Amino acid sequence: MTASPAPVTLAQRASISDEVLAQAVGDEVVLLDLAGERYFGLDPVGTRIWDLLPDSPDLASVLAQLCAEFDAPQAQIEADLLALIAALREAGLVTVD
């Protein structure tokens, strides 16, 4: 049995894997995992998170930007952000450090 990775926190930084190609399709993004040859789709909010990752020092910065842009409770935005980053890490599309 392998141990599950530690939960993602706002203090961490998520970096996009070199093995991912991203293509905008309307207001969404399609990701291609070159290593696993799988496609992933991100909705507009997921696309915005993806766009913020390269220039953000940590996930707290991403959260602050999302809260400024979207009209939703901060707790919901935070939960969605951390869940998406955890799913992207699980799929090998980002690394979290």
Side-chain angles (χ1 to χ4, degrees), residues 4-67:
S4 59
V8 177
T9 69
L10 294 176
Q12 294 176 300
R13 174 176 166 69
S15 302
I16 297 171
S17 168
D18 292 337
E19 295 292 315
V20 178
L21 292 179
Q23 178 65 49
V25 180
D27 60 352
E28 299 182 352
V29 165
V30 175
L31 307 175
L32 171 60
D33 172 16
L34 297 174
E37 298 180 350
R38 296 178 297 169
Y39 285 95
F40 300 87
L42 297 177
D43 66 14
V45 176
T47 295
R48 184 63 182 132
I49 292 169
W50 185 262
D51 290 342
L52 291 170
L53 291 180
D55 298 323
S56 298
D58 55 32
L59 293 174
S61 298
V62 174
L63 176 62
Q65 186 65 39
L66 294 172
C67 287

